[in-house]
Amino acid sequence: MKLYRADFADRTEVLVRLGSTGFVSMVLVYATDNWLFMAWAMAYYGQQYLYFRTVDPRRRGGAQIRLTQAKIIYFFGAGIFVSAPLYFLHHPDPVLFAAALLALLANALYILHRENPSRDTIPIETLFFALSGAVLATILWPHLSSLAHQVVVLSMCAICIYLFWRAQHVDERRQLARRTAERRYAQAQKARALNQFVGGVAHDFNNQLTAIMGNLELIDLLDDAEERRSAMQQCRVAAERAAQTVHQLVASSGRTRLNDGVIDVAQLLGDIAPVLEDLLDPKVKLTLAPIKGRVLLVADRDMLETSLIQICLNAQDAMKAHGQITIGASSYPERGTNRNPGAKDGHRLVGIYVQDAGPGVESDTLNKLSEPFFTTKGVRAGTGLGLSAVEGFAKQSGGALEIDNAAAGGLLVTILLPQAKPEELQN
């Protein structure tokens, strides 16, 4: 896996490396009228293909055997790559001689600055770097008139070889330390999320069970029928809250039952606006952004309405019940992009967004807003399951949830859902 990351993880770098090799070989054929350079490029391409097939992490087989094969193939590949520059070091044309030096320098810089160095290739690369230095020293040797000049050249070659070897080891250790730190951070984040989830579930259910058990004890002690009915009603309320928590947890996991249908976004927003105006504080102004054309999507209408209500209530809390909330819709790129990697093929995306005029959220908090039981509200002000349930619904519907700070201020929450296809409209 390390060898694969070292040479094939960055696709742009791979294309540049292979493309420049082919381009240079064609230029050399044109300049020297020697088709041997085209054979050189083909040999290098063949070696890269075999090397890729050997280190491909999807390939099955013994790891140790594949590592040995990869080292052998890499050794021959390094020899093929440097053979042309070493050949031109003996060429009388000063332009080709300078080009060869630049090629060797570029190869050394690539090795020292690639993103994922591998300890297994360091001896091979150092060997060929030393070979390049030795060839250059033999070319300069006849022009060295004294023993002092010879000692200086040999010393500089040895120092360069050592520094090249040392730089690779330092970079490899630095990259290893970075990956180790990233793994530890990821594990810490998982542990934090798990502790937060378990603690939130335990805390929420403990509150509801305490209310139920306390009122049940009161029912046995109270003589007045009205007081007993009141205690029983409190039990029902606590049980309903517990059931709502379970429902939100199921929605957060993306396993709730959905009744998908085609929804006209403009009609949906028009129907839900009066409901929101009744639920929101009178000081909160609700604005529906104009929608161009007829926008249709496929989702569970009840869950979508519940999600929009939840987001608007969160926005009201963020604005402290004073400000403007804007709801609108917009189209998004084709599915399967980095924006929505889990989307189904064959659909475009429709984004229904809610933007508030609140203070926004700090960047390090944005990614946590949709985590179960994470809340920026005060104690007992919220369960932290609202946005988590919305995200679970969006993902189960084949979409996603995006949360970001709006350019004009406030928080922008967008529910991405699949746009209806023509065949779905006919059904």
Side-chain angles (χ1 to χ4, degrees):
M1 188 63 182
K2 290 183 179 179
L3 293 174
Y4 176 84
R5 287 200 305 263
D7 285 288
F8 299 105
D10 189 341
R11 293 185 179 181
T12 302
E13 183 276 324
V14 172
L15 291 176
V16 170
R17 172 158 48 93
L18 298 180
S20 60
T21 300
F23 175 76
V24 169
S25 65
M26 290 188 290
V27 171
L28 290 174
V29 170
Y30 175 79
T32 63
D33 197 25
N34 188 346
W35 285 89
L36 182 64
F37 294 109
M38 187 57 67
W40 166 77
M42 293 298 102
Y44 179 71
Y45 286 152
Q47 179 271 337
Q48 286 291 290
Y49 175 75
L50 290 176
Y51 184 60
F52 173 79
R53 291 295 302 272
T54 303
V55 301
D56 189 349
R58 295 170 295 182
R59 181 182 172 185
R60 298 180 180 180
Q64 192 59 43
I65 296 176
R66 288 175 55 199
L67 177 60
T68 303
Q69 293 173 344
K71 287 182 179 180
I72 295 174
I73 296 173
Y74 189 87
F75 176 83
F76 283 105
I80 293 171
F81 189 83
V82 302
S83 59
L86 291 180
Y87 169 78
F88 279 119
L89 285 178
H90 295 84
H91 204 281
D93 189 336
V95 174
L96 295 179
F97 178 82
L101 285 178
L102 290 175
L104 292 174
L105 176 62
N107 183 52
L109 291 175
Y110 160 73
I111 292 172
L112 292 177
H113 291 282
R114 62 185 172 188
E115 185 176 356
N116 297 289
S118 174
R119 183 187 299 269
D120 298 306
T121 60
I122 291 177
I124 300 174
E125 290 160 346
T126 304
L127 173 63
F128 280 99
F129 184 81
L131 178 62
S132 302
V135 171
L136 187 60
T138 57
I139 295 173
L140 295 176
W141 199 262
H143 305 284
L144 303 179
S145 57
S146 65
L147 178 62
H149 290 167
Q150 295 173 352
V151 171
V152 168
V153 170
L154 292 177
S155 300
M156 291 304 300
C157 286
I159 291 173
C160 288
I161 293 170
Y162 170 75
L163 291 177
F164 181 81
W165 172 83
R166 179 68 177 170
Q168 289 186 89
H169 273 286
V170 171
D171 193 33
E172 194 272 337
R173 286 199 296 269
R174 183 168 58 248
Q175 294 285 349
L176 179 61
R178 177 180 64 83
R179 289 193 293 269
T180 301
E182 289 175 350
R183 284 196 299 269
R184 289 177 178 173
Y185 177 76
Q187 292 173 354
Q189 287 293 91
K190 289 180 180 179
R192 181 193 63 80
L194 180 60
N195 290 336
Q196 177 179 293
F197 179 79
V198 173
V201 171
H203 176 76
D204 202 62
F205 274 95
N206 183 63
N207 288 341
Q208 310 309 330
L209 289 175
T210 300
I212 293 173
M213 294 174 65
N215 282 287
L216 287 176
E217 291 178 2
L218 280 175
I219 291 173
D220 293 334
L221 298 175
L222 294 173
D223 296 327
D224 186 73
E226 185 63 30
E227 291 180 346
R228 295 180 62 166
R229 279 194 297 270
S230 176
M232 183 60 71
Q233 179 61 27
Q234 293 299 321
C235 288
R236 291 193 184 97
V237 170
E240 289 173 357
R241 289 177 180 172
Q244 184 181 8
T245 300
V246 172
H247 178 73
Q248 289 180 316
L249 286 171
V250 173
S252 300
S253 67
R255 296 180 181 179
T256 189
R257 292 183 179 181
L258 298 179
N259 184 21
D260 290 342
V262 178
I263 302 173
D264 187 317
V265 176
Q267 182 181 354
L268 169 74
L269 298 185
D271 293 341
I272 201 175
V275 178
L276 288 171
E277 289 175 352
D278 290 338
L279 290 174
L280 298 175
D281 191 276
K283 295 181 181 179
V284 175
K285 180 182 178 182
L286 182 67
T287 303
L288 299 183
I291 300 176
K292 297 181 180 179
R294 193 182 184 203
V295 181
L296 303 174
L297 56 82
V298 179
D300 185 306
R301 184 184 178 98
D302 292 337
M303 285 294 295
L304 180 55
E305 290 180 353
T306 303
S307 298
L308 290 174
I309 291 172
Q310 178 65 59
I311 296 172
C312 289
L313 292 176
N314 286 350
Q316 175 179 252
D317 294 338
M319 298 187 303
K320 301 186 184 303
H322 183 80
Q324 178 174 302
I325 296 177
T326 303
I327 305 179
S330 58
S331 297
Y332 277 71
E334 292 287 344
R335 298 169 159 249
T337 63
N338 290 335
R339 184 172 212 136
N340 187 16
K344 302 172 184 176
D345 296 331
H347 282 91
R348 294 180 64 84
L349 292 175
V350 174
I352 301 180
Y353 64 86
V354 177
Q355 180 177 344
D356 62 49
V361 178
E362 295 182 1
S363 56
D364 58 345
T365 307
L366 280 173
N367 295 331
K368 302 177 183 178
L369 288 178
S370 59
E371 292 181 1
F373 295 103
F374 179 86
T375 178
T376 57
K377 303 175 184 178
V379 180
R380 300 181 183 274
T383 62
L385 284 172
L387 288 179
S388 175
V390 173
E391 184 178 48
F393 155 68
K395 288 183 176 180
Q396 187 178 355
S397 301
L401 180 69
E402 289 189 349
I403 306 175
D404 201 357
N405 286 313
L411 196 66
L412 179 64
V413 181
T414 305
I415 305 175
L416 303 178
L417 295 170
Q419 188 175 18
K421 295 192 294 185
E423 56 268 27
E424 293 169 323
L425 298 179
Q426 296 173 2
N427 295 333

